[in-house]
Each structure stands twice: as C-alpha cells, then as structure tokens.
Amino acid sequence: KAGVTQTPRYLIKTRGQQVTLSCSPISGHRSVSWYQQTPGQGLQFLFEYFSETQRNKGNFPGRFSGRQFSNSRSEMNVSTLELGDSALYLCATRTSGSPGEQFFGPGTRLTVL
Amino acid sequence: SQQGEEDPQALSIQEGENATMNCSYKTSINNLQWYRQNSGRGLVHLILIRSNEREKHSGRLRVTLDTSKKSSSLLITASRAADTASYFCATGTQGGSEKLVFGKGMKLTVNP
C-alpha cells in the first residue's frame, strides 16, 4: 500500500503570496489532518477533514484554510504569507472515525522570504 | 499550545543501553501516542496506549501510562544507532475527531 504523499516537498514563496499544499492519503483513509511544525512552536494542529467536512480546527488565523475532495485527497491553502509561516507542514491520515494511529506524510517544507 | 512535555529534552546514550523518556500532560485524554521523527521528516507512529490501559509493549518498546499523574513513559531497550531521532508524545482527546496535541519532543542520540 502506498504511503501518504505530499506535494510539493519544498516551496519558496515571498511575503504576501499564497500557497496551496496537497496531501494524498493512504487508500481507504478518509480522515486527513494537517499540522504545522516550527522550531519555536513545535507541532501544532491546523485542522482535520473527514468525508469532505472540516471536523476540527486549531488556533490559526483565517489565512489558513483547507478542503477535502470526494477521493479523500486534501489541500490546504495559506493566503497573504508571512515570514512566520515558514514551517514544515505535515498531513496525517487514518482509517475510521475513531481515534487511533495516524500515518504521516513526509511533509512540505515552506520557506517564506 | 503544547499539552505534552517530554523529559529530558535531550538524551545521549551508547548502543545497547536503555533509553527512557517521560511525558507529562495537562488535561483528560482518550489516548496517548508516541511518534519518532528523523531529521525534520515525517513522523512515524510507534505505539498507542488508551486511557484505560496502564502498560503496553511493542518489540523493544514499552509504554506506561499513569492517568492519575497525567504522565507516560517510553522505554526503548537495547538501543541501536538507528534509534537516533526525535521522539514526541501526543495526546488524543475524546470524540470522533482526533486532534493530536504534541509535546516539544526529545532528541535521542545513540552512539555506536
């Protein structure tokens, strides 16, 4: 079974631009969560999608948004990029609606200049 | 904001020795999970322990959970150089949605 894939793996943007990151879950996984990892704040939950619906949201500004498609693939978008948005963005997927092991992708390294 | 906090923040040991990492958290949980991360890459799930469990084993890993003290420990026995990584504890809360709250992580170095 193929693992979680994230594209692109690396991205360089300038302040004010917007960016879209993509996550393809393991086949059969309907839950997709997004996390931001920075040296200062560590790993922080952004949001979770399940069956195309956002089920939970972390404490991030509205510039951070996401969506999930009918094939469970998910995208997250960050608008009006700030320097502080530079981070490793990780998506994690799992099978059912009950809590359990999450499978992480390799991440997208976003650098904002 | 972090819920879990790993202790120590960094640990350096020799191959063959055991490594113990501790995690403390603040609120009620449904489960506690441990993950490993190599050099800024994706996280790898190691083990999950539910709030009604006290101890769990998986290969060279042993996890304990004390909900009265809101703490957990991860023991890696007979460590190998390949165990060198950052280790995170993460707590999962109740309900169908799984929002994992991670600790800051602990850097383990296993010297050959």
PDB file of all heavy atoms in Angstrom, chain B residues 26-62:
ATOM      1  N   LYS B  26      -1.621  17.755  30.488  1.00  0.00           N
ATOM      2  CA  LYS B  26      -2.378  18.601  31.405  1.00  0.00           C
ATOM      3  C   LYS B  26      -3.856  18.242  31.544  1.00  0.00           C
ATOM      4  O   LYS B  26      -4.440  18.406  32.615  1.00  0.00           O
ATOM      5  CB  LYS B  26      -2.252  20.066  30.974  1.00  0.00           C
ATOM      6  CG  LYS B  26      -0.828  20.603  31.041  1.00  0.00           C
ATOM      7  CD  LYS B  26      -0.721  21.998  30.444  1.00  0.00           C
ATOM      8  CE  LYS B  26       0.720  22.460  30.410  1.00  0.00           C
ATOM      9  NZ  LYS B  26       0.890  23.699  29.627  1.00  0.00           N
ATOM     10  N   THR B  27      -4.481  17.791  30.462  1.00  0.00           N
ATOM     11  CA  THR B  27      -5.924  17.588  30.530  1.00  0.00           C
ATOM     12  C   THR B  27      -6.285  16.112  30.362  1.00  0.00           C
ATOM     13  O   THR B  27      -5.431  15.280  30.096  1.00  0.00           O
ATOM     14  CB  THR B  27      -6.624  18.413  29.445  1.00  0.00           C
ATOM     15  OG1 THR B  27      -6.192  17.943  28.160  1.00  0.00           O
ATOM     16  CG2 THR B  27      -6.281  19.892  29.567  1.00  0.00           C
ATOM     17  N   SER B  28      -7.571  15.814  30.495  1.00  0.00           N
ATOM     18  CA  SER B  28      -8.036  14.441  30.303  1.00  0.00           C
ATOM     19  C   SER B  28      -7.805  14.005  28.865  1.00  0.00           C
ATOM     20  O   SER B  28      -7.937  14.806  27.949  1.00  0.00           O
ATOM     21  CB  SER B  28      -9.526  14.353  30.631  1.00  0.00           C
ATOM     22  OG  SER B  28      -9.739  14.646  31.976  1.00  0.00           O
ATOM     23  N   ILE B  29      -7.488  12.754  28.707  1.00  0.00           N
ATOM     24  CA  ILE B  29      -7.178  12.252  27.365  1.00  0.00           C
ATOM     25  C   ILE B  29      -7.950  10.978  27.055  1.00  0.00           C
ATOM     26  O   ILE B  29      -8.436  10.292  27.956  1.00  0.00           O
ATOM     27  CB  ILE B  29      -5.671  11.972  27.204  1.00  0.00           C
ATOM     28  CG1 ILE B  29      -5.218  10.871  28.174  1.00  0.00           C
ATOM     29  CG2 ILE B  29      -4.857  13.249  27.399  1.00  0.00           C
ATOM     30  CD1 ILE B  29      -3.798  10.387  27.938  1.00  0.00           C
ATOM     31  N   ASN B  30      -8.048  10.686  25.769  1.00  0.00           N
ATOM     32  CA  ASN B  30      -8.613   9.422  25.314  1.00  0.00           C
ATOM     33  C   ASN B  30      -7.503   8.404  25.074  1.00  0.00           C
ATOM     34  O   ASN B  30      -7.671   7.216  25.328  1.00  0.00           O
ATOM     35  CB  ASN B  30      -9.407   9.670  24.033  1.00  0.00           C
ATOM     36  CG  ASN B  30      -9.977   8.397  23.443  1.00  0.00           C
ATOM     37  OD1 ASN B  30      -9.277   7.653  22.778  1.00  0.00           O
ATOM     38  ND2 ASN B  30     -11.248   8.155  23.713  1.00  0.00           N
ATOM     39  N   ASN B  31      -6.394   8.909  24.555  1.00  0.00           N
ATOM     40  CA  ASN B  31      -5.248   8.039  24.299  1.00  0.00           C
ATOM     41  C   ASN B  31      -3.974   8.875  24.273  1.00  0.00           C
ATOM     42  O   ASN B  31      -4.026  10.110  24.165  1.00  0.00           O
ATOM     43  CB  ASN B  31      -5.407   7.280  22.972  1.00  0.00           C
ATOM     44  CG  ASN B  31      -5.421   8.215  21.775  1.00  0.00           C
ATOM     45  OD1 ASN B  31      -4.374   8.686  21.345  1.00  0.00           O
ATOM     46  ND2 ASN B  31      -6.599   8.492  21.232  1.00  0.00           N
ATOM     47  N   LEU B  32      -2.856   8.202  24.369  1.00  0.00           N
ATOM     48  CA  LEU B  32      -1.564   8.865  24.277  1.00  0.00           C
ATOM     49  C   LEU B  32      -0.726   8.067  23.288  1.00  0.00           C
ATOM     50  O   LEU B  32      -0.707   6.834  23.321  1.00  0.00           O
ATOM     51  CB  LEU B  32      -0.871   8.935  25.650  1.00  0.00           C
ATOM     52  CG  LEU B  32       0.435   9.753  25.704  1.00  0.00           C
ATOM     53  CD1 LEU B  32       0.530  10.499  27.042  1.00  0.00           C
ATOM     54  CD2 LEU B  32       1.640   8.886  25.485  1.00  0.00           C
ATOM     55  N   GLN B  33      -0.073   8.774  22.407  1.00  0.00           N
ATOM     56  CA  GLN B  33       0.690   8.117  21.356  1.00  0.00           C
ATOM     57  C   GLN B  33       2.135   8.619  21.373  1.00  0.00           C
ATOM     58  O   GLN B  33       2.401   9.756  21.771  1.00  0.00           O
ATOM     59  CB  GLN B  33       0.060   8.406  19.981  1.00  0.00           C
ATOM     60  CG  GLN B  33      -1.406   8.025  19.902  1.00  0.00           C
ATOM     61  CD  GLN B  33      -2.049   8.334  18.563  1.00  0.00           C
ATOM     62  OE1 GLN B  33      -1.404   8.248  17.518  1.00  0.00           O
ATOM     63  NE2 GLN B  33      -3.337   8.669  18.585  1.00  0.00           N
ATOM     64  N   TRP B  34       3.025   7.784  20.932  1.00  0.00           N
ATOM     65  CA  TRP B  34       4.429   8.165  20.774  1.00  0.00           C
ATOM     66  C   TRP B  34       4.799   8.067  19.304  1.00  0.00           C
ATOM     67  O   TRP B  34       4.452   7.093  18.624  1.00  0.00           O
ATOM     68  CB  TRP B  34       5.337   7.262  21.606  1.00  0.00           C
ATOM     69  CG  TRP B  34       5.290   7.554  23.077  1.00  0.00           C
ATOM     70  CD1 TRP B  34       4.437   7.015  24.003  1.00  0.00           C
ATOM     71  CD2 TRP B  34       6.128   8.458  23.803  1.00  0.00           C
ATOM     72  NE1 TRP B  34       4.688   7.528  25.248  1.00  0.00           N
ATOM     73  CE2 TRP B  34       5.727   8.416  25.161  1.00  0.00           C
ATOM     74  CE3 TRP B  34       7.191   9.300  23.450  1.00  0.00           C
ATOM     75  CZ2 TRP B  34       6.346   9.174  26.156  1.00  0.00           C
ATOM     76  CZ3 TRP B  34       7.806  10.053  24.441  1.00  0.00           C
ATOM     77  CH2 TRP B  34       7.388   9.986  25.772  1.00  0.00           C
ATOM     78  N   TYR B  35       5.527   9.093  18.846  1.00  0.00           N
ATOM     79  CA  TYR B  35       5.982   9.159  17.467  1.00  0.00           C
ATOM     80  C   TYR B  35       7.484   9.407  17.427  1.00  0.00           C
ATOM     81  O   TYR B  35       8.046   9.992  18.349  1.00  0.00           O
ATOM     82  CB  TYR B  35       5.275  10.293  16.708  1.00  0.00           C
ATOM     83  CG  TYR B  35       3.825  10.020  16.395  1.00  0.00           C
ATOM     84  CD1 TYR B  35       2.830  10.259  17.333  1.00  0.00           C
ATOM     85  CD2 TYR B  35       3.447   9.517  15.148  1.00  0.00           C
ATOM     86  CE1 TYR B  35       1.496  10.014  17.050  1.00  0.00           C
ATOM     87  CE2 TYR B  35       2.113   9.268  14.848  1.00  0.00           C
ATOM     88  CZ  TYR B  35       1.149   9.524  15.804  1.00  0.00           C
ATOM     89  OH  TYR B  35      -0.163   9.275  15.512  1.00  0.00           O
ATOM     90  N   ARG B  36       8.096   8.998  16.335  1.00  0.00           N
ATOM     91  CA  ARG B  36       9.511   9.248  16.093  1.00  0.00           C
ATOM     92  C   ARG B  36       9.656  10.061  14.817  1.00  0.00           C
ATOM     93  O   ARG B  36       8.891   9.868  13.857  1.00  0.00           O
ATOM     94  CB  ARG B  36      10.261   7.921  15.929  1.00  0.00           C
ATOM     95  CG  ARG B  36      11.769   8.067  15.761  1.00  0.00           C
ATOM     96  CD  ARG B  36      12.415   6.727  15.465  1.00  0.00           C
ATOM     97  NE  ARG B  36      12.151   6.312  14.101  1.00  0.00           N
ATOM     98  CZ  ARG B  36      11.861   5.069  13.745  1.00  0.00           C
ATOM     99  NH1 ARG B  36      11.768   4.117  14.650  1.00  0.00           N
ATOM    100  NH2 ARG B  36      11.643   4.786  12.481  1.00  0.00           N
ATOM    101  N   GLN B  37      10.613  10.973  14.821  1.00  0.00           N
ATOM    102  CA  GLN B  37      10.874  11.794  13.635  1.00  0.00           C
ATOM    103  C   GLN B  37      12.375  11.830  13.390  1.00  0.00           C
ATOM    104  O   GLN B  37      13.143  12.183  14.286  1.00  0.00           O
ATOM    105  CB  GLN B  37      10.334  13.211  13.814  1.00  0.00           C
ATOM    106  CG  GLN B  37      10.480  14.079  12.561  1.00  0.00           C
ATOM    107  CD  GLN B  37       9.900  15.461  12.745  1.00  0.00           C
ATOM    108  OE1 GLN B  37      10.047  16.070  13.797  1.00  0.00           O
ATOM    109  NE2 GLN B  37       9.236  15.982  11.727  1.00  0.00           N
ATOM    110  N   ASN B  38      12.741  11.508  12.179  1.00  0.00           N
ATOM    111  CA  ASN B  38      14.149  11.573  11.775  1.00  0.00           C
ATOM    112  C   ASN B  38      14.398  12.852  10.993  1.00  0.00           C
ATOM    113  O   ASN B  38      13.769  13.068   9.952  1.00  0.00           O
ATOM    114  CB  ASN B  38      14.518  10.368  10.903  1.00  0.00           C
ATOM    115  CG  ASN B  38      14.542   9.085  11.692  1.00  0.00           C
ATOM    116  OD1 ASN B  38      13.507   8.440  11.855  1.00  0.00           O
ATOM    117  ND2 ASN B  38      15.680   8.730  12.216  1.00  0.00           N
ATOM    118  N   SER B  39      15.291  13.682  11.512  1.00  0.00           N
ATOM    119  CA  SER B  39      15.810  14.863  10.807  1.00  0.00           C
ATOM    120  C   SER B  39      14.772  15.651  10.020  1.00  0.00           C
ATOM    121  O   SER B  39      14.903  15.808   8.808  1.00  0.00           O
ATOM    122  CB  SER B  39      16.936  14.445   9.849  1.00  0.00           C
ATOM    123  OG  SER B  39      17.979  13.868  10.559  1.00  0.00           O
ATOM    124  N   GLY B  40      13.733  16.141  10.679  1.00  0.00           N
ATOM    125  CA  GLY B  40      12.769  17.016  10.038  1.00  0.00           C
ATOM    126  C   GLY B  40      11.936  16.358   8.960  1.00  0.00           C
ATOM    127  O   GLY B  40      11.414  17.033   8.070  1.00  0.00           O
ATOM    128  N   ARG B  41      11.827  15.060   9.021  1.00  0.00           N
ATOM    129  CA  ARG B  41      10.975  14.350   8.061  1.00  0.00           C
ATOM    130  C   ARG B  41       9.630  14.025   8.709  1.00  0.00           C
ATOM    131  O   ARG B  41       9.299  14.543   9.765  1.00  0.00           O
ATOM    132  CB  ARG B  41      11.701  13.097   7.598  1.00  0.00           C
ATOM    133  CG  ARG B  41      13.029  13.413   6.915  1.00  0.00           C
ATOM    134  CD  ARG B  41      13.859  12.188   6.685  1.00  0.00           C
ATOM    135  NE  ARG B  41      13.297  11.330   5.645  1.00  0.00           N
ATOM    136  CZ  ARG B  41      13.900  10.230   5.212  1.00  0.00           C
ATOM    137  NH1 ARG B  41      15.038   9.840   5.750  1.00  0.00           N
ATOM    138  NH2 ARG B  41      13.369   9.488   4.264  1.00  0.00           N
ATOM    139  N   GLY B  42       8.859  13.187   8.035  1.00  0.00           N
ATOM    140  CA  GLY B  42       7.548  12.832   8.585  1.00  0.00           C
ATOM    141  C   GLY B  42       7.658  12.039   9.864  1.00  0.00           C
ATOM    142  O   GLY B  42       8.695  11.456  10.175  1.00  0.00           O
ATOM    143  N   LEU B  43       6.583  12.027  10.611  1.00  0.00           N
ATOM    144  CA  LEU B  43       6.554  11.293  11.873  1.00  0.00           C
ATOM    145  C   LEU B  43       6.159   9.845  11.636  1.00  0.00           C
ATOM    146  O   LEU B  43       5.320   9.551  10.790  1.00  0.00           O
ATOM    147  CB  LEU B  43       5.565  11.935  12.841  1.00  0.00           C
ATOM    148  CG  LEU B  43       6.054  13.151  13.609  1.00  0.00           C
ATOM    149  CD1 LEU B  43       6.107  14.372  12.721  1.00  0.00           C
ATOM    150  CD2 LEU B  43       5.162  13.412  14.812  1.00  0.00           C
ATOM    151  N   VAL B  44       6.741   8.971  12.431  1.00  0.00           N
ATOM    152  CA  VAL B  44       6.414   7.552  12.364  1.00  0.00           C
ATOM    153  C   VAL B  44       5.762   7.152  13.679  1.00  0.00           C
ATOM    154  O   VAL B  44       6.320   7.402  14.748  1.00  0.00           O
ATOM    155  CB  VAL B  44       7.682   6.705  12.113  1.00  0.00           C
ATOM    156  CG1 VAL B  44       7.343   5.218  12.193  1.00  0.00           C
ATOM    157  CG2 VAL B  44       8.291   7.042  10.765  1.00  0.00           C
ATOM    158  N   HIS B  45       4.587   6.555  13.585  1.00  0.00           N
ATOM    159  CA  HIS B  45       3.870   6.128  14.779  1.00  0.00           C
ATOM    160  C   HIS B  45       4.579   4.938  15.416  1.00  0.00           C
ATOM    161  O   HIS B  45       4.945   3.985  14.733  1.00  0.00           O
ATOM    162  CB  HIS B  45       2.442   5.736  14.401  1.00  0.00           C
ATOM    163  CG  HIS B  45       1.602   5.336  15.569  1.00  0.00           C
ATOM    164  ND1 HIS B  45       1.491   4.037  16.000  1.00  0.00           N
ATOM    165  CD2 HIS B  45       0.840   6.078  16.409  1.00  0.00           C
ATOM    166  CE1 HIS B  45       0.692   3.992  17.044  1.00  0.00           C
ATOM    167  NE2 HIS B  45       0.281   5.215  17.317  1.00  0.00           N
ATOM    168  N   LEU B  46       4.777   5.016  16.730  1.00  0.00           N
ATOM    169  CA  LEU B  46       5.439   3.928  17.444  1.00  0.00           C
ATOM    170  C   LEU B  46       4.450   3.075  18.211  1.00  0.00           C
ATOM    171  O   LEU B  46       4.442   1.856  18.092  1.00  0.00           O
ATOM    172  CB  LEU B  46       6.488   4.494  18.406  1.00  0.00           C
ATOM    173  CG  LEU B  46       7.668   5.237  17.766  1.00  0.00           C
ATOM    174  CD1 LEU B  46       8.549   5.830  18.841  1.00  0.00           C
ATOM    175  CD2 LEU B  46       8.455   4.313  16.854  1.00  0.00           C
ATOM    176  N   ILE B  47       3.632   3.715  19.014  1.00  0.00           N
ATOM    177  CA  ILE B  47       2.757   2.951  19.899  1.00  0.00           C
ATOM    178  C   ILE B  47       1.641   3.860  20.416  1.00  0.00           C
ATOM    179  O   ILE B  47       1.839   5.063  20.568  1.00  0.00           O
ATOM    180  CB  ILE B  47       3.577   2.345  21.054  1.00  0.00           C
ATOM    181  CG1 ILE B  47       2.816   1.230  21.766  1.00  0.00           C
ATOM    182  CG2 ILE B  47       4.087   3.403  21.998  1.00  0.00           C
ATOM    183  CD1 ILE B  47       3.707   0.354  22.640  1.00  0.00           C
ATOM    184  N   LEU B  48       0.486   3.272  20.653  1.00  0.00           N
ATOM    185  CA  LEU B  48      -0.659   3.997  21.196  1.00  0.00           C
ATOM    186  C   LEU B  48      -1.117   3.278  22.450  1.00  0.00           C
ATOM    187  O   LEU B  48      -1.211   2.054  22.470  1.00  0.00           O
ATOM    188  CB  LEU B  48      -1.789   4.037  20.163  1.00  0.00           C
ATOM    189  CG  LEU B  48      -3.118   4.698  20.539  1.00  0.00           C
ATOM    190  CD1 LEU B  48      -3.804   5.232  19.280  1.00  0.00           C
ATOM    191  CD2 LEU B  48      -4.054   3.761  21.272  1.00  0.00           C
ATOM    192  N   ILE B  49      -1.413   4.042  23.475  1.00  0.00           N
ATOM    193  CA  ILE B  49      -1.942   3.455  24.706  1.00  0.00           C
ATOM    194  C   ILE B  49      -3.218   4.209  25.055  1.00  0.00           C
ATOM    195  O   ILE B  49      -3.255   5.445  24.999  1.00  0.00           O
ATOM    196  CB  ILE B  49      -0.897   3.489  25.849  1.00  0.00           C
ATOM    197  CG1 ILE B  49      -1.422   2.738  27.078  1.00  0.00           C
ATOM    198  CG2 ILE B  49      -0.458   4.907  26.191  1.00  0.00           C
ATOM    199  CD1 ILE B  49      -0.341   2.418  28.106  1.00  0.00           C
ATOM    200  N   ARG B  50      -4.277   3.480  25.345  1.00  0.00           N
ATOM    201  CA  ARG B  50      -5.560   4.108  25.632  1.00  0.00           C
ATOM    202  C   ARG B  50      -5.628   4.469  27.114  1.00  0.00           C
ATOM    203  O   ARG B  50      -4.907   3.928  27.944  1.00  0.00           O
ATOM    204  CB  ARG B  50      -6.705   3.179  25.232  1.00  0.00           C
ATOM    205  CG  ARG B  50      -6.647   2.810  23.755  1.00  0.00           C
ATOM    206  CD  ARG B  50      -7.928   2.251  23.207  1.00  0.00           C
ATOM    207  NE  ARG B  50      -7.734   1.833  21.815  1.00  0.00           N
ATOM    208  CZ  ARG B  50      -7.742   2.661  20.787  1.00  0.00           C
ATOM    209  NH1 ARG B  50      -7.936   3.950  20.959  1.00  0.00           N
ATOM    210  NH2 ARG B  50      -7.551   2.210  19.561  1.00  0.00           N
ATOM    211  N   SER B  51      -6.545   5.359  27.428  1.00  0.00           N
ATOM    212  CA  SER B  51      -6.602   5.891  28.789  1.00  0.00           C
ATOM    213  C   SER B  51      -6.942   4.828  29.833  1.00  0.00           C
ATOM    214  O   SER B  51      -6.652   5.003  31.009  1.00  0.00           O
ATOM    215  CB  SER B  51      -7.619   7.041  28.876  1.00  0.00           C
ATOM    216  OG  SER B  51      -8.891   6.598  28.472  1.00  0.00           O
ATOM    217  N   ASN B  52      -7.542   3.717  29.402  1.00  0.00           N
ATOM    218  CA  ASN B  52      -7.872   2.661  30.360  1.00  0.00           C
ATOM    219  C   ASN B  52      -6.796   1.567  30.412  1.00  0.00           C
ATOM    220  O   ASN B  52      -6.990   0.541  31.062  1.00  0.00           O
ATOM    221  CB  ASN B  52      -9.226   2.025  30.019  1.00  0.00           C
ATOM    222  CG  ASN B  52      -9.233   1.403  28.636  1.00  0.00           C
ATOM    223  OD1 ASN B  52      -8.277   1.526  27.882  1.00  0.00           O
ATOM    224  ND2 ASN B  52     -10.322   0.727  28.312  1.00  0.00           N
ATOM    225  N   GLU B  53      -5.679   1.806  29.755  1.00  0.00           N
ATOM    226  CA  GLU B  53      -4.566   0.864  29.792  1.00  0.00           C
ATOM    227  C   GLU B  53      -3.442   1.433  30.641  1.00  0.00           C
ATOM    228  O   GLU B  53      -3.283   2.658  30.744  1.00  0.00           O
ATOM    229  CB  GLU B  53      -4.050   0.575  28.369  1.00  0.00           C
ATOM    230  CG  GLU B  53      -5.094  -0.098  27.486  1.00  0.00           C
ATOM    231  CD  GLU B  53      -4.605  -0.264  26.053  1.00  0.00           C
ATOM    232  OE1 GLU B  53      -4.090   0.716  25.470  1.00  0.00           O
ATOM    233  OE2 GLU B  53      -4.754  -1.386  25.520  1.00  0.00           O
ATOM    234  N   ARG B  54      -2.643   0.576  31.218  1.00  0.00           N
ATOM    235  CA  ARG B  54      -1.550   1.035  32.084  1.00  0.00           C
ATOM    236  C   ARG B  54      -0.184   0.771  31.478  1.00  0.00           C
ATOM    237  O   ARG B  54       0.781   1.474  31.772  1.00  0.00           O
ATOM    238  CB  ARG B  54      -1.650   0.348  33.446  1.00  0.00           C
ATOM    239  CG  ARG B  54      -2.836   0.804  34.242  1.00  0.00           C
ATOM    240  CD  ARG B  54      -2.742   2.295  34.575  1.00  0.00           C
ATOM    241  NE  ARG B  54      -4.013   2.821  35.050  1.00  0.00           N
ATOM    242  CZ  ARG B  54      -4.830   3.568  34.300  1.00  0.00           C
ATOM    243  NH1 ARG B  54      -4.511   3.859  33.045  1.00  0.00           N
ATOM    244  NH2 ARG B  54      -5.955   4.032  34.803  1.00  0.00           N
ATOM    245  N   GLU B  55      -0.107  -0.275  30.662  1.00  0.00           N
ATOM    246  CA  GLU B  55       1.192  -0.628  30.093  1.00  0.00           C
ATOM    247  C   GLU B  55       0.961  -1.314  28.750  1.00  0.00           C
ATOM    248  O   GLU B  55      -0.019  -2.034  28.559  1.00  0.00           O
ATOM    249  CB  GLU B  55       1.940  -1.573  31.044  1.00  0.00           C
ATOM    250  CG  GLU B  55       3.370  -1.870  30.651  1.00  0.00           C
ATOM    251  CD  GLU B  55       4.116  -2.620  31.743  1.00  0.00           C
ATOM    252  OE1 GLU B  55       4.022  -2.207  32.910  1.00  0.00           O
ATOM    253  OE2 GLU B  55       4.786  -3.619  31.422  1.00  0.00           O
ATOM    254  N   LYS B  56       1.914  -1.083  27.842  1.00  0.00           N
ATOM    255  CA  LYS B  56       1.821  -1.715  26.535  1.00  0.00           C
ATOM    256  C   LYS B  56       3.221  -1.977  26.003  1.00  0.00           C
ATOM    257  O   LYS B  56       4.145  -1.188  26.250  1.00  0.00           O
ATOM    258  CB  LYS B  56       1.056  -0.801  25.577  1.00  0.00           C
ATOM    259  CG  LYS B  56       0.352  -1.526  24.462  1.00  0.00           C
ATOM    260  CD  LYS B  56      -0.723  -0.655  23.861  1.00  0.00           C
ATOM    261  CE  LYS B  56      -1.457  -1.419  22.775  1.00  0.00           C
ATOM    262  NZ  LYS B  56      -2.472  -0.591  22.119  1.00  0.00           N
ATOM    263  N   HIS B  57       3.367  -3.072  25.281  1.00  0.00           N
ATOM    264  CA  HIS B  57       4.669  -3.437  24.730  1.00  0.00           C
ATOM    265  C   HIS B  57       4.565  -3.585  23.218  1.00  0.00           C
ATOM    266  O   HIS B  57       3.539  -4.010  22.690  1.00  0.00           O
ATOM    267  CB  HIS B  57       5.140  -4.774  25.319  1.00  0.00           C
ATOM    268  CG  HIS B  57       5.384  -4.744  26.784  1.00  0.00           C
ATOM    269  ND1 HIS B  57       6.645  -4.720  27.344  1.00  0.00           N
ATOM    270  CD2 HIS B  57       4.518  -4.707  27.827  1.00  0.00           C
ATOM    271  CE1 HIS B  57       6.544  -4.695  28.662  1.00  0.00           C
ATOM    272  NE2 HIS B  57       5.269  -4.689  28.986  1.00  0.00           N
ATOM    273  N   SER B  58       5.649  -3.240  22.549  1.00  0.00           N
ATOM    274  CA  SER B  58       5.743  -3.479  21.110  1.00  0.00           C
ATOM    275  C   SER B  58       7.212  -3.635  20.780  1.00  0.00           C
ATOM    276  O   SER B  58       7.961  -2.668  20.733  1.00  0.00           O
ATOM    277  CB  SER B  58       5.140  -2.312  20.326  1.00  0.00           C
ATOM    278  OG  SER B  58       5.303  -2.504  18.933  1.00  0.00           O
ATOM    279  N   GLY B  59       7.638  -4.875  20.553  1.00  0.00           N
ATOM    280  CA  GLY B  59       9.053  -5.122  20.265  1.00  0.00           C
ATOM    281  C   GLY B  59       9.944  -4.635  21.396  1.00  0.00           C
ATOM    282  O   GLY B  59       9.777  -5.028  22.551  1.00  0.00           O
ATOM    283  N   ARG B  60      10.861  -3.722  21.086  1.00  0.00           N
ATOM    284  CA  ARG B  60      11.771  -3.186  22.109  1.00  0.00           C
ATOM    285  C   ARG B  60      11.179  -1.985  22.847  1.00  0.00           C
ATOM    286  O   ARG B  60      11.856  -1.349  23.642  1.00  0.00           O
ATOM    287  CB  ARG B  60      13.088  -2.773  21.445  1.00  0.00           C
ATOM    288  CG  ARG B  60      13.878  -3.935  20.843  1.00  0.00           C
ATOM    289  CD  ARG B  60      15.231  -3.487  20.286  1.00  0.00           C
ATOM    290  NE  ARG B  60      15.080  -2.579  19.156  1.00  0.00           N
ATOM    291  CZ  ARG B  60      15.436  -1.295  19.157  1.00  0.00           C
ATOM    292  NH1 ARG B  60      15.955  -0.755  20.238  1.00  0.00           N
ATOM    293  NH2 ARG B  60      15.278  -0.544  18.079  1.00  0.00           N
ATOM    294  N   LEU B  61       9.943  -1.671  22.567  1.00  0.00           N
ATOM    295  CA  LEU B  61       9.293  -0.519  23.189  1.00  0.00           C
ATOM    296  C   LEU B  61       8.361  -0.954  24.312  1.00  0.00           C
ATOM    297  O   LEU B  61       7.655  -1.954  24.194  1.00  0.00           O
ATOM    298  CB  LEU B  61       8.479   0.253  22.154  1.00  0.00           C
ATOM    299  CG  LEU B  61       9.191   0.722  20.900  1.00  0.00           C
ATOM    300  CD1 LEU B  61       8.215   1.460  19.996  1.00  0.00           C
ATOM    301  CD2 LEU B  61      10.380   1.594  21.239  1.00  0.00           C
ATOM    302  N   ARG B  62       8.401  -0.168  25.391  1.00  0.00           N
ATOM    303  CA  ARG B  62       7.455  -0.382  26.481  1.00  0.00           C
ATOM    304  C   ARG B  62       6.923   0.990  26.883  1.00  0.00           C
ATOM    305  O   ARG B  62       7.693   1.906  27.157  1.00  0.00           O
ATOM    306  CB  ARG B  62       8.128  -1.058  27.666  1.00  0.00           C
ATOM    307  CG  ARG B  62       7.271  -1.151  28.918  1.00  0.00           C
ATOM    308  CD  ARG B  62       8.002  -1.881  30.028  1.00  0.00           C
ATOM    309  NE  ARG B  62       7.332  -1.691  31.314  1.00  0.00           N
ATOM    310  CZ  ARG B  62       7.782  -0.903  32.290  1.00  0.00           C
ATOM    311  NH1 ARG B  62       8.895  -0.242  32.142  1.00  0.00           N
ATOM    312  NH2 ARG B  62       7.111  -0.795  33.422  1.00  0.00           N
TER     313      ARG B  62
END
